[in-house]
């Protein structure tokens, strides 16, 4: 690899544009390191976001060469082509400045999908016995390690086309909660994912499952919700 | 001074700083217990739930919920681990309430911790414990805890101020109580004063002034620096916990310093020096499986011996266990190393001790109250629960337990507080002035100073300390702070101006670094995480004392206060006499 | 833009059409092979109740199915929403149904 | 141009399904119109069918059946994925449906000639 690369970085808000920097390449260097290097050495005003730097917090995701990725865990060898790199803020979210987006809608939808626990017991009750190998638990476990990085959300064109669409991460969370033996309001979940922004809008584009850095499968979770909601409609008329 | 008239001013009743385990639980409990109509606000330096260290918890959460374990046993382990320095009432509350908190997390918040085949909670054994006590969700326990908490907070009418960085605690006019908190709204660069009847600070400490460190990037000791400026007493400030195996990948990458999990050593991982010698047995008969502090010192000593110009670390080797086995058992770690270009399963990965957790913090009572009315502190910002060393698994227990306590206590205390207090405008003006100072001087390289500070602390106030080194460290920190005060930041656009925040980070880090060094100088013995080469002895347990530091004018004053053995004295135990010493391996 | 009702309708109609379409394609292959004329087609189908129901069902299904499909495409690409969208989808449905019905009647009944 | 994040089989299958559905929906009224002509003006219909000898129209017809076949198999693939417990063979299924569609329409095309 060359000892330098040309990095185009998005500047400004939605109406901004790319600016190009020359960045020295290093042996162990992630895309996040590239961005930080520019801020620390070339342009003090560059804005980006990160926290954990090890792929746990999901706050560093950006578009790298047009594909959404977690940048703290993306080695530049994986993405640099012809000594060039293009870095932009995540798609499908409002841009605050440069590489930082406003993730509020993403989380509003998470809650709107009822992606939260509906308790069936309290802190005074014992911990519920749950067989880790039971089919429901397996389904719930499949999506539980989501770090809400919004990579899937920004890869999905249905999100882009339909502002009401809850999106893959929120729906996957709803599916996880739905399969949790401890959850007490499954009807509420099905209801909230069956509306005009719900799971039935998913066209199985598959980008969500392809790009999820944790190899989760929101597409399959959404199919699960479609099934469950239809079954419930057929069985009970709701 | 005109800026002070320009800042935004808003009010709330209960204000919470930080969205780690402490902040989230405080917000939840406050919203459950406070009288109807109480306004609750949570302000955080990053995005809600997506910053701080609780999210990064890997190993798990200590709770005595099985295998014959008891609160008493958990308590005794905590006291022994902290080498008799913990505040015993806090430690007791920690162990006792952890049981309630884990049930709350499971039953009300919706966390799912790993189960045994029979459906019961799975507990694993963390080092330094006499029972299998640690509940976990794989090795991503923190994500599970914080995500579930985040959902609950987001679904409640709790005001959130994201990317609002607290920069000053503002007392009331008479100085008797806290009036509010000064923030920078990072997104637009504007200042905002939020008045509140009660404020809980849970900004999570974070020893990121060391060359190698594990915490999330947003943590820079802001809370402790603010408390220091307010004149509050801070305890155990010399106690910095190093994790023995941080990844070493070069100075230019943020991957450096991040934790390679404890389990690697537990499973038989070997530490080799640059001559391929497995050195840990030279230091301790338990070899790589010795406690964190011992292994950290072993590695540090080895690094000093080899004296490589590059400052290289030592190597962790797993391949003798069979690369495929390693790949399967530690898939997360193997992938993470691969992402920075290293082969953990088959090759050698360079590691160094890395600053991990800060035991020191604001002096609080077991109800999280501080010396100042209206201010509560919980989580890593609070001192006392761990004493000189924190057991693995007690960190997140501490932040969630005391965060919840703070929420409950504030919810009841606000009932007695009828009005908001008026801020001391002079302090407010001074805090604004302090934060804006770098914007008026010639811009310079803040990052270079951060590196200098991290070198200085690593070399002189690090894993092994001496009087000479500590004094030199203090001087170096002073010089760096001075340099910082004459280093400016480009002020053209204050919206999301990270370099301005880097500057403010440095300011907090310098202030607290000085306190760490001075407290370390005051402790002329070696306890827990604090090791003095010139005083290797631990001192008399019965006469144990802890350091209390506070700001006096421009100086830091450090005094010793005796530990009150309110529940158990050194040499004794509260375990019934028939109890075995350890339950690990018994079942 | 697609709630569970519309989704069900779209899938249901698709399921109905799938076998019908296969039969229709097979028929066309067979017909074209023999060289096709209007009279031939009509001869086969006219006056047949079976073909009336066969194509009638197809027309009903396809009108619903395509109207819902277009509704989604229109809303997603042209950002048309609300009443406007409802009017458009109904309009397509009714036109398709009307034209389809005319064709089926013409081909099978008269 | 196809944006980078879209360059993968499932997204292309989605695009294909949408375009084929759209094509069919636009063709449908025309087709019905033509058939209803059979009722009123059988001559004109014969004239149209006469065009069938025209290679261009052949290609167009080939295209229409192709669309129908693609859409049919794509739709079945989708519904199978949605309603059966999921399988990991999505991509294979997508590919197979296209192949099958091609095969059917090729048979049709060859026989027509
Ligand atoms: C890699 C790693 C692994 C760990 N593993 C374990 C483990 O297995 N078991 C265990 O028990 N403990 C573990 N710990 C320790 C544990 O994470 C912490 O002790 C605990 O989570 C601290 O919680 P907290 O709420 O006090 O702070 P944090 O969770 O760190 O939260 C601090 C919050 O305050 C915010 N903040 C900071 N400054 C400001 C400011 N100026 N204004 C506003 N907000 C601010 C931060 O952004 C953040 O939201 C680990 C720590 C790390 C770093
Ligand atoms: C023959 C059997 C058919 C089957 C099995 C079928 C199946 C489907 C399915 C499952 C969808 C939903 C796609 C999605 O949500 O992404 C769909 C969409 C659609 N169908 Fe069909 N269909 C059939 C016939 C037709 C016909 C004959 C037409 C038109 C005349 C048609 C027009 C459409 C349109 C316009 C869409 C919308 C495409 C989109 O949303 O991307 N379909 N079809
Ligand atoms: S599903 Fe994957 S890509 Fe989507 S938010 Fe969760 S971790 Fe990120
Ligand atoms: S990318 Fe979007 S359309 Fe569905 S399969 Fe994933 S949510
Ligand atoms: S910085 Fe946390 S996921 Fe990248």
């Amino acid at each position: 690899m060359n000892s330098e690369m040309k990095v185009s970085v998005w500047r400004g808000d939605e109406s901004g544009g790319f600016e190009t920097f020359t960045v020295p390449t290093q042996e162990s260097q992630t895309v996040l390191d590239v961005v930080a290097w520019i801020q620390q050495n070339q342009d003090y005003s560059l804005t980006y976001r990160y926290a954990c730097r090890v792929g746990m917090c999901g706050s560093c995701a950006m578009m790298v060469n047009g594909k959404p990725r977690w940048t703290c865990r993306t080695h530049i060898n994986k993405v640099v082509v012809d000594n060039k790199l293009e870095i932009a803020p995540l798609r499908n979210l409002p841009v605050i400045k440069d590489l930082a987006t406003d993730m509020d809608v993403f989380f509003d939808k998470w809650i709107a999908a009822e992606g939260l626990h509906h308790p069936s017991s309290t802190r005074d009750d014992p911990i519920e016995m749950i067989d880790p190998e039971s089919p429901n638990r397996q389904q719930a476990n499949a999506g539980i390690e989501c770090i809400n990085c919004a990579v899937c959300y920004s890869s999905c064109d249905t999100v882009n086309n339909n502002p009401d669409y809850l999106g893959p991460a929120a729906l996957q969370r709803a599916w996880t909660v739905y399969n949790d033996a401890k959850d007490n309001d499954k009807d509420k979940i099905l209801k909230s994912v069956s509306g005009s922004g719900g799971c039935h809008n998913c066209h199985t584009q598959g980008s969500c499952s392809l790009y999820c850095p944790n190899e989760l499968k929101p597409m399959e979770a959404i199919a699960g919700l479609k099934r469950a909601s239809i079954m419930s409609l057929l069985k009970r008329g709701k | 001074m005109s800026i002070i008239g320009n800042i935004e001013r808003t009010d709330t009743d209960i204000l919470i700083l930080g969205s780690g385990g402490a902040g989230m639980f405080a917000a939840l409990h406050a919203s459950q217990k406070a009288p109807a109509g109480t306004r609750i606000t949570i302000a955080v330096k990053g995005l809600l739930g997506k910053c701080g260290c609780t999210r990064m918890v890997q190993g798990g959460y200590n709770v005595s919920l099985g295998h014959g374990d008891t609160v008493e046993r958990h308590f005794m382990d905590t006291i022994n681990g902290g080498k008799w320095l913990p505040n015993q009432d806090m430690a007791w509350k920690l162990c006792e309430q952890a049981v309630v908190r884990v049930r709350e997390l499971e039953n009300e918040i919706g966390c799912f911790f790993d189960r045994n085949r029979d459906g019961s909670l799975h507990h694993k054994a963390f080092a330094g414990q006499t029972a299998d006590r640690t509940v976990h969700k794989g090795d991503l326990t923190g994500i599970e805890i914080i995500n579930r908490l985040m959902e609950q907070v987001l679904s409640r009418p709790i005001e959130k101020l994201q990317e609002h960085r607290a920069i000053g605690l503002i007392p009331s006019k008479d100085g008797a109580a806290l009036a509010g908190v000064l923030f920078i709204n990072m997104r637009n660069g504007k200042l905002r004063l939020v008045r509140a009847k009660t404020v809980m600070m849970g900004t999570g400490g974070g020893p990121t002034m060391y060359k190698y460190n594990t915490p999330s990037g947003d943590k820079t000791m802001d809370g402790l620096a603010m408390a220091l400026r307010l004149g509050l007493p801070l305890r155990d400030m010399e106690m910095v916990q190093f994790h023995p195996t941080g990844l070493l990948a070069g100075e230019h990458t943020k991957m450096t310093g991040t934790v390679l999990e404890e389990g690697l050593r537990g499973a038989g991982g070997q530490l080799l020096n640059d001559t391929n010698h497995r050195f840990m047995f030279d230091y301790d008969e338990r070899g790589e499986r010795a406690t964190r502090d011992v292994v950290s010192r072993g590695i540090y000593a080895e690094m000093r011996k080899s004296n490589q110009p590059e400052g290289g670390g030592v190597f962790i080797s797993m391949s003798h266990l069979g690369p495929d086995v390693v790949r399967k058992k530690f898939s997360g770690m193997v992938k993470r190393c691969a992402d920075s270009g290293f082969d953990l399963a088959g090759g050698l990965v360079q590691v160094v001790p890395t600053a991990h957790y800060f035991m020191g913090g604001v002096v609080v009572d077991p109800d999280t109250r501080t010396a100042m009315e209206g201010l509560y502190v919980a989580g890593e910002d609070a001192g006392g629960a761990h004493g000189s060393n924190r057991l693995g698994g007690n960190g997140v227990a501490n932040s969630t337990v005391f965060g919840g306590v703070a929420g409950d206590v504030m919810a009841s205390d606000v009932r007695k507080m009828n009005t908001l207090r008026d801020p001391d405008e002079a302090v407010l003006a001074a805090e604004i002035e302090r934060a804006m100072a770098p914007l008026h001087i010639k811009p310079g390289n803040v990052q270079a100073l951060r590196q200098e500070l991290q070198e200085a602390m690593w070399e002189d106030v690090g894993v092994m300390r001496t009087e000479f080194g500590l004094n030199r460290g203090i001087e170096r920190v002073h010089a760096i702070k001075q340099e910082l005060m004459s280093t400016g930041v480009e002020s053209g656009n204050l919206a999301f101006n990270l370099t301005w925040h880097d500057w403010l980070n440095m300011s907090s880090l310098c202030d607290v670094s000085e306190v760490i060094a001075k407290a370390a100088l005051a402790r002329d013995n070696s306890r827990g995480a604090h090791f003095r080469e010139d005083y290797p002895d631990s001192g008399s347990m019965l006469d144990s004392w802890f350091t209390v530091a506070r700001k006096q004018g421009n100086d830091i004053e450090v005094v010793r206060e005796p530990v009150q053995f309110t529940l158990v004295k050194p040499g004794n135990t509260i375990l019934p006499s028939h109890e075995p010493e350890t339950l690990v391996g018994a079942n | 833009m697609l709630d569970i009702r519309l989704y069900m309708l779209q899938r249901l109609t698709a399921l109905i059409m799938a076998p019908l379409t296969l039969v229709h394609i097979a028929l066309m292959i067979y017909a074209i092979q023999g060289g096709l004329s209007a009279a031939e087609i009509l001869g086969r189908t006219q006056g047949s109740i079976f073909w009336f129901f066969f194509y009638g069902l197809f027309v009903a299904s396809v009108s619903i199915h395509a109207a819902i499909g277009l509704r989604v495409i229109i809303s997603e690409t042209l950002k048309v929403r609300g009443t406007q969208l409802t009017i458009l989808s109904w309009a397509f449905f009714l036109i398709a149904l009307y034209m389809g019905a005319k064709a089926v009647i013409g081909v099978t009944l008269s | 141009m196809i944006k980078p994040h879209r360059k993968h089989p499932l997204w292309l299958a989605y695009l294909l399904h949408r375009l084929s559905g759209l094509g069919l929906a636009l063709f449908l009224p025309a087709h019905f119109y033509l058939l209803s002509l059979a009722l009123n003006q059988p001559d004109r219909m014969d004239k149209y069918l006469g065009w069938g000898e025209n290679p261009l129209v052949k290609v167009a017809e080939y295209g229409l059946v192709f669309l129908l076949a693609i859409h049919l198999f794509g739709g079945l693939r989708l519904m199978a994925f949605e309603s059966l417990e999921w399988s990991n063979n999505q991509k294979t299924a997508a590919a197979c449906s296209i192949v099958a569609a091609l095969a059917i329409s090729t048979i049709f095309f060859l026989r027509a000639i």
Side-chain angles (χ1 to χ4, degrees), chain A residues 14 19 32 74 81 84 92 133 173 198 201 220 227:
Chain A
E14 260 116 85
E19 196 178 325
L32 180 63
T74 302
V81 185
K84 281 203 209 85
N92 297 346
E133 312 281 324
R173 178 64 193 140
N201 289 277
E220 274 130 28
R227 273 197 309 276

Side-chain angles (χ1 to χ4, degrees), chain A residues 80-153:
Chain A
V80 169
V81 185
D82 298 335
N83 287 309
K84 281 203 209 85
L85 197 58
E86 183 195 276
I87 309 176
L90 276 187
R91 283 172 83 232
N92 297 346
L93 289 165
V95 180
I96 298 175
K97 179 170 174 275
D98 302 343
L99 302 170
T101 57
D102 184 347
M103 296 185 76
D104 278 356
V105 242
F106 175 80
F107 287 105
D108 290 348
K109 288 179 177 179
W110 187 289
I111 301 302
E114 285 301 325
L116 71 153
H117 184 60
H118 310 90
S120 52
S121 59
T122 75
R123 64 194 83 166
D124 302 322
D125 300 311
I127 306 256
E128 206 162 312
M129 304 287 273
I130 292 173
D131 178 1
E133 312 281 324
S134 64
N136 273 356
R137 194 59 236 171
Q138 297 278 322
Q139 286 279 1
N141 278 351
I144 204 168
E145 283 171 7
C146 171
I147 57 170
N148 33 64
C149 62
V151 160
C152 54
Y153 188 83

